Amino acid sequence: MRSSDLPEVRELALFESMSAECFESLMRVAYLQTFPGQLELIAEGDPADFLYIVIEGSVELYAKSNGREATMSIVRPVGTLILAAVLKDAVYLMSARTREKSKILLIPSEDIRAAFRQDNDFARAIVVELATAYRGIVKEYKDLKLRSSVERLANRLLRFHEDQGGNGSVELPDDKKILASQLGMTPENLSRAFNTLKPYGVEVDGALVRLTDLSSLRRLAKPNPLIDSPST
Amino acid sequence: MRSSDLPEVRELALFESMSAECFESLMRVAYLQTFPGQLELIAEGDPADFLYIVIEGSVELYAKSNGREATMSIVRPVGTLILAAVLKDAVYLMSARTREKSKILLIPSEDIRAAFRQDNDFARAIVVELATAYRGIVKEYKDLKLRSSVERLANRLLRFHEDQGGNGSVELPDDKKILASQLGMTPENLSRAFNTLKPYGVEVDGALVRLTDLSSLRRLAKPNPLIDSPST
DNA sequence: GCCGACGATTGATTTTTATCAAGCCCCACG
DNA sequence: CGTGGGGCTTGATAAAAATCAATCGTCGGC
């Protein structure tokens, strides 16, 4: 494919400082594919053959062990999956499935590693990307270790609220089932957690949540920038 | 200080491919200091002024929120703390305290970032270090999200056992209080978890644990290389 | 050598969370 | 149009984990 097909990829922080030459040669070996929904793109344990970049749609990263399964995160356009495995030439630690029909760019990992060796600016961009990803998961780990499930939900709602402009209402971006798994609880418990938050001005109507008493919700949630702010 | 003072630092994966020149100039601005035990080196939220490298002793990384506190990890010689914050020029997400009298090398973060800009081999070494750290915490997050506390303990014991040569007995590297916090449980619950493992051949005597029925313990723990193996 | 602090353990109890079961609603599909 | 399945909720119950309280033992400091 040609790089002109995907200006938005070129604008990714990961690629924008890359030399034109390197970028072109990466794009030449890349595949742009459209996948149906609910398709397993990656199974954990498989060798990392490709770097995946979500162009349209969305992808769920999840992990399994014994019979259990947990959603790790949702990747939306334009975002990359599992850069760390690609760089280390290791196996994937997480599985990935499309949530809906999605357009994905696949770049062979050997070519990513070659570009990383050749292009110093690219190597530096990767460092920033990895450092950001690392700090992101540190925050999620703290969230899970230091808070109860009701607190996690309250803080997540406040974060959504801020992301969405902060006008008192929130649109849940995914199914409640997935939200529950992201927050480390069962769907039943998520439902009950919403009920617990009712006295704090949380009114649920399907995917729409109204926050009618923010100060009281904040008092309960005690949001912490070192856990909740998106990119500190 | 002179680089000849610390051959073991030069041998760190992070520094070994660095140019002699860059390494020398980093070492010139570095401080080697000895701290007493139980001293708070870093408070989360502070700007990342230094990269810390543990030369002797050990350092506990922990996080706080509301009243609660959780141990994130223990760094032993020769290991680095909070590289990601240094590279992003951000605030620390975790606090750090010495566990015992410890010798620490401090390198101003601005100098680390300068070296990262100048020395391409160093930039690449950082990528590997960060990717490894990222995958490490992904595993811990999976551990916490997908297993019960007894399973976490069983798997941790099996990992210690392997690290220590696998001769049927295990020496716990830290206080049980810290082990409990690392595993995401209270000390009381750790004690009870050891008791529930007794039928699986786990005999505790202080910091010494004897594993007398490995196959039965493994059957319970169901170790998973994508969670438990140190550096996959 | 004694005291006090702290780690560890145990028991009793409460809180939190998961599991099991049933029912509702809505939408896609025949 | 009806029907079936999936997402969601609710209730009842069970399991897991935390909390509170008390005790024991050890070790360092006075």
Side-chain angles (χ1 to χ4, degrees), chain B residues 5 49 51 134-135:
Chain B
D5 294 348
D49 294 327
L51 177 67
Y134 176 76
R135 288 166 66 83

Side-chain angles (χ1 to χ4, degrees), chain A residues 181-209:
Chain A
S181 186
Q182 285 188 81
L183 293 174
M185 57 179 113
T186 58
E188 293 96 325
N189 251 326
L190 175 63
S191 203
R192 291 182 186 113
F194 271 121
N195 282 332
T196 320
L197 290 180
K198 211 173 270 172
Y200 301 86
V202 176
E203 295 168 11
V204 185
D205 178 17
L208 189 78
V209 181

